[in-house]
Amino acid sequence: MRDSIVGIFIGSLIGAAVINGFSLLFYVLGISPFTAGAVAAEIFLRNNLVHTPSGIFIGLVATTALSFGTATLTWLILRWTGKDWAWLKGIIAAQAFTFLGVGLFMPLLGIAPSFRNYGLAHIAALANMIFLGLAQGLWLVYWQQPTIRS
């Protein structure tokens, strides 16, 4: 039997790599003026501290925490509904988490208010979370074979 917490934690590390990797790619390509780590760091820091070394570290930790929540939700959905279409269930869980975070908590808490001025940044974030959900759904079904029902 494989440990669920370890599988979810490794899934969250994979997800954080996906989130930050694609976010940086979208930033470098000019698709989005934000990185996921910078937006996540604004939860804890003032805007002028986000791009400092400590701000970058806090942003990476925060995106890993977001990824852990998404991996946990995906694991629960797979546990309740079975492992068929795990990649799609991962995408659905990640998108639900994104809509909750970006649509509710960011405006409610005043996180990155300028993010709302960039529609393409929202599309990039949704695409990023598709990649996250895909990776986590596939990883969790691979890792949790004995504990997720068919």
Side-chain angles (χ1 to χ4, degrees), residues 53-114:
S54 59
I56 293 168
F57 177 76
I58 288 170
L60 292 174
V61 171
T63 56
T64 303
L66 164 77
S67 182
F68 189 83
T70 306
T72 302
L73 180 60
T74 302
W75 182 84
L76 287 170
I77 290 170
L78 291 171
R79 180 107 168 143
W80 294 330
T81 65
K83 61 185 176 184
D84 296 331
W85 297 87
W87 62 272
L88 181 59
K89 292 173 185 176
I91 291 170
I92 291 167
Q95 292 301 331
F97 222 75
T98 301
F99 278 104
L100 185 65
V102 174
L104 178 64
F105 289 114
M106 279 180 62
L108 185 66
L109 299 175
I111 301 165
S114 62

Side-chain angles (χ1 to χ4, degrees), residues 4-141:
S4 302
I5 298 297
V6 171
I8 291 169
F9 179 71
I10 293 170
S12 71
L13 294 178
I14 292 168
V18 168
I19 288 172
N20 290 301
F22 278 103
S23 175
L24 185 60
L25 177 67
F26 294 147
Y27 179 78
V28 168
L29 293 175
I31 295 170
S32 175
F34 306 97
T35 63
V39 172
E42 279 198 44
I43 296 169
F44 305 101
L45 301 172
R46 289 188 311 265
N47 194 22
N48 62 332
L49 299 174
V50 167
H51 298 289
T52 63
S54 59
I56 293 168
F57 177 76
I58 288 170
L60 292 174
V61 171
T63 56
T64 303
L66 164 77
S67 182
F68 189 83
T70 306
T72 302
L73 180 60
T74 302
W75 182 84
L76 287 170
I77 290 170
L78 291 171
R79 180 107 168 143
W80 294 330
T81 65
K83 61 185 176 184
D84 296 331
W85 297 87
W87 62 272
L88 181 59
K89 292 173 185 176
I91 291 170
I92 291 167
Q95 292 301 331
F97 222 75
T98 301
F99 278 104
L100 185 65
V102 174
L104 178 64
F105 289 114
M106 279 180 62
L108 185 66
L109 299 175
I111 301 165
S114 62
F115 188 76
R116 288 192 254 169
N117 297 332
Y118 298 94
L120 199 54
H122 283 275
I123 293 170
L126 292 173
N128 199 350
M129 295 305 277
I130 287 172
F131 299 132
L132 166 77
L134 178 67
Q136 285 185 338
L138 292 174
W139 166 254
L140 289 171
V141 79

